[in-house]
Amino acid sequence: MKIKLGLFSNVSPCSKGVLLQIFFNALLLISPFIVTQVTAPLRDTPGVTFCVYCQKNVLTRTSFEIGAMAWVFCGGITLLGCWLCMCIPFCLDSCKDVKHYCPSCNNLLYFYRRM
Ligand SMILES: [Zn+2]
């Protein structure tokens, strides 16, 4: 297979590989860099995230609120006939939804719904 490189068509195959490498390295240098920040997803514990209001990284403050999962467990327990235990899901943080607030500006940053 013969590779045509326009101006470099009469260069040996070994040199063509080197030229291609130089070309792609130069392409990487002139292309704009995309900076992304990868953080762990926010769930039921405080996590580090970027506050769009403060424009800085913060460790979120969490607040638990009764959500759909607590109601579903309550209904399930009630259907099973355990009337005394039906309010337990409303007392467990592991059944509640979680709101993540910025500790600096107190704005809501993320709402983690379990269902
Ligand atoms: Zn903030």
Side-chain angles (χ1 to χ4, degrees), residues 41-46 62 64 93-94 96 98 100 112 114:
L42 296 173
R43 304 199 74 152
D44 55 350
T45 55
T62 56
F64 292 92
D93 285 343
S94 57
K96 296 179 181 176
V98 184
H100 290 264
Y112 172 62
R114 295 189 189 271

Side-chain angles (χ1 to χ4, degrees), residues 72-88:
V72 167
F73 276 125
C74 173
I77 291 170
T78 304
L79 288 175
L80 290 174
C82 188
W83 293 89
L84 296 174
C85 304
M86 63 183 268
C87 61
I88 289 176

Side-chain angles (χ1 to χ4, degrees), residues 51-56 58 102-107 109:
C51 177
V52 293
Y53 305 103
C54 301
Q55 300 292 319
K56 62 183 178 183
V58 293
C102 173
S104 301
C105 63
N106 289 321
N107 279 309
L109 299 178

